[in-house]
Amino acid sequence: MVYSMVSMYLIYYLTDIIELPTSTLWWITVIVLCARIFDALNDPIMGVIVDNTKTRFGKFKPWIALGALVSGMLTVLLFTDFGLQGAGYIAVFALIYIAWGLAYTANDISYWSMLPSLSLEQKEREQIGAVARICANVGLFFVVAGIVPITSAFGNALGSMQKGYFAFSLLVVEIMWAGQCITLVGVKEPRNLVAQNKHTSLKELLKVIFGNDQLLYTAVSMALFMIGYTTTTSFGLYFFKYAYGDEGMYSIFALILGVSQIAALVVFPLISRHFERRTLYAFSTGLVVAGYVIFFFAPLNTMLFIGIAGVLLFIGQAFIQLMMLMFLADTVEYGFWKSGRRNDSVTFSIQPFINKMGGAVASGVVSATVIVSGIKDAQSAEQVTAGGLLMMKMAMMIFPLLCILAGFLLYLKKYKIDSSLYARILKELRERGDIRTGEGE
């Protein structure tokens, strides 16, 4: 919920709610892009820190707690009106945004990198991952479906839409803190999975990443997918306001898609019992392609074809998101098998790195498109030219489709950890004594 609020709606908040001047918005666009790239480059370093952490609370939970607390407070500050303008606003925004990224990284890496330690079985990981993705998507679509009606209700009650967004950010952060407490209290962190693990220094960081070829191929495929996915979703509110012409339909559309995506995640563990992941990935990519084609050519005077396209897109994307998580989890054992060093957090630091790079590119594409197409200065759909509308549709649908297809083709050509290789990896790790027999089952 917090990540969706910031990555998908912060730019909209700046352009349409507090209406920053174009000169300031260009500076903000550059700051967001550079800050996300800087923060993403720090993710593997945070992974090393988590992997080397030893406390009586384990190595994951201290960082989950600290990161959640700080990133929550900074999220609220991002949607706070300080009464500043020009250079003053730019400077304060830059400091808060960079600090938010670092705090969010501490939480996100430690949270998701706990997953591989909970089980070594691929199917059980799929079940755990499906539950995690379902909850994540419930949060995502709560924000997507609720952003318009809830901020409007808060805004009407408090006297301005700026205050409406501020109140909504408070609500989102409080829910995030409550959810993180469930993990901190309810999850037992395994301590004896690995017989003995080597300390990882910062000097060895690049060796850990670049020495794991399957991690690298997974990372590039994930990055291409996330760039496409985040770019499309980030355009959502603009599309319904300036192309479809009814901003209120965005929440209804998002609710339908949220239910579709969550349903897809629920049935995924059942479907995966009968099909290999490669087959499921191909099928999911086919759904995504069909969805984008229908979306691009859908008439703007009816929701029928837009709705069909959205359901196809988000079912396919739900499957791909979960499989990407599983591919990443399996590269932990692959890297352990090759190097003799298990790096859960360094490996999973690739996920927020990719999310931030995807978000950075998406924010840059959205900001530039909104400015160049004339949407920034439009007050309604009628004021957007045909050329501006086509530019937005190309950036929202064609560019993301090409990215997602490229990621799929790279996976087909380079990724090789199937069920038979993974079984062989576990067998040899046990024979070497690197994994305790019977642990993590």
Side-chain angles (χ1 to χ4, degrees):
M1 292 175 71
V2 165
Y3 186 77
S4 301
M5 181 80 179
V6 174
S7 67
M8 294 174 64
Y9 300 109
L10 181 58
I11 296 297
Y12 181 82
Y13 170 79
L14 299 175
T15 60
D16 283 45
I17 302 302
I18 63 174
E19 298 181 339
L20 290 180
T22 301
S23 58
T24 301
L25 187 61
W26 274 118
W27 277 104
I28 295 297
T29 299
V30 172
I31 288 169
V32 168
L33 181 62
C34 293
R36 287 187 177 180
I37 292 173
F38 167 77
D39 189 34
L41 295 175
N42 288 326
D43 287 344
I45 297 175
M46 189 67 223
V48 170
I49 294 172
V50 175
D51 274 334
N52 292 331
T53 297
K54 293 181 180 180
T55 73
R56 65 190 184 93
F57 301 107
K59 69 178 184 179
F60 302 112
K61 289 186 178 182
W63 296 109
I64 292 174
L66 180 63
L69 178 64
V70 177
S71 66
M73 292 187 293
L74 293 172
T75 298
V76 175
L77 290 179
L78 285 173
F79 292 92
T80 299
D81 182 9
F82 294 103
L84 299 173
Q85 295 180 350
Y89 180 85
I90 293 169
V92 172
F93 176 88
L95 289 173
I96 295 174
Y97 191 81
I98 291 170
W100 176 86
L102 294 173
Y104 185 87
T105 292
N107 172 266
D108 200 46
I109 289 176
S110 52
Y111 178 87
W112 285 102
S113 61
M114 193 189 296
L115 172 62
S117 69
L118 299 179
S119 175
L120 295 177
E121 295 299 322
Q122 284 185 313
K123 296 304 177 185
E124 190 171 6
R125 280 182 175 177
E126 288 176 2
Q127 293 171 351
I128 297 170
V131 172
R133 288 307 320 171
I134 287 169
C135 293
N137 281 290
V138 167
L140 163 66
F141 285 104
F142 174 87
V143 173
V144 171
I147 190 78
V148 173
I150 297 177
T151 55
S152 296
F154 280 144
N156 291 333
L158 299 173
S160 73
M161 283 301 295
Q162 189 283 320
K163 292 180 180 178
Y165 269 75
F166 172 79
F168 188 62
S169 70
L170 277 175
L171 174 64
V172 165
V173 167
E174 288 169 0
I175 295 173
M176 184 266 280
W177 282 340
Q180 293 287 284
C181 286
I182 294 173
T183 297
L184 292 170
V185 175
V187 175
K188 181 180 179 182
E189 182 180 323
R191 305 291 182 90
N192 300 313
L193 175 65
V194 179
Q196 186 175 359
N197 199 22
K198 300 176 183 177
H199 182 278
T200 301
S201 67
L202 288 177
K203 291 182 179 180
E204 296 169 313
L205 174 59
L206 292 180
K207 184 178 179 181
V208 170
I209 296 174
F210 288 95
N212 189 331
D213 59 300
Q214 295 301 286
L215 173 60
L216 287 177
Y217 295 136
T218 301
V220 176
S221 294
M222 287 181 72
L224 289 166
F225 172 79
M226 286 307 300
I227 288 171
Y229 175 78
T230 308
T231 300
T232 297
T233 54
S234 297
F235 270 112
L237 197 49
Y238 288 106
F239 177 84
F240 278 92
K241 184 174 181 179
Y242 296 106
Y244 186 76
D246 184 357
E247 184 180 358
M249 285 300 298
Y250 177 67
S251 295
I252 298 173
F253 178 76
L255 181 61
I256 295 171
L257 299 190
V259 171
S260 300
Q261 193 169 44
I262 291 168
L265 291 169
V266 170
V267 302
F268 181 87
L270 301 176
I271 297 175
S272 69
R273 295 175 186 174
H274 306 288
F275 298 96
E276 289 289 328
R277 288 177 180 173
R278 181 175 289 251
T279 303
L280 285 173
Y281 196 175
F283 171 73
S284 303
T285 303
L287 291 179
V288 169
V289 172
Y292 273 121
V293 171
I294 295 172
F295 204 170
F296 188 84
F297 292 104
L300 296 177
N301 59 354
T302 176
M303 275 293 296
L304 177 61
F305 292 103
I306 294 174
I308 292 172
V311 170
L312 291 174
L313 272 173
F314 279 79
I315 289 176
Q317 288 173 342
F319 283 174
I320 294 172
Q321 279 185 314
L322 183 53
M323 284 186 286
M324 288 290 187
L325 188 64
M326 296 303 102
F327 298 153
L328 197 60
D330 290 350
T331 65
V332 171
E333 278 71 43
Y334 178 84
F336 195 12
W337 178 57
K338 285 192 66 178
S339 68
R341 179 186 288 110
R342 183 181 176 91
N343 293 104
D344 307 74
S345 296
V346 171
T347 300
F348 268 77
S349 70
I350 297 299
Q351 179 176 246
F353 172 87
I354 289 165
N355 289 341
K356 289 167 188 173
M357 292 296 289
V361 174
S363 293
V365 170
V366 172
S367 295
T369 302
V370 167
I371 295 171
V372 176
S373 67
I375 290 174
K376 167 68 173 65
D377 299 318
Q379 299 299 315
S380 65
E382 290 74 19
Q383 296 180 10
V384 179
T385 66
L389 178 60
L390 178 61
M391 186 180 296
M392 181 173 70
K393 290 178 69 176
M394 293 286 289
M396 180 182 182
M397 302 170 200
I398 302 303
F399 169 70
L401 174 58
L402 294 176
C403 290
I404 291 172
L405 282 175
F408 172 63
L409 293 175
L410 178 64
Y411 162 81
L412 284 181
K413 187 172 182 179
K414 295 295 186 178
Y415 192 80
K416 64 183 182 182
I417 308 179
D418 55 15
S419 56
S420 60
L421 176 58
Y422 186 77
R424 176 188 160 199
I425 289 171
L426 289 186
K427 180 175 181 293
E428 293 188 12
L429 285 174
R430 289 190 176 101
E431 289 174 349
R432 287 178 359 196
D434 289 332
I435 293 178
R436 298 180 191 278
T437 303
E439 293 288 346
E441 299 289 343

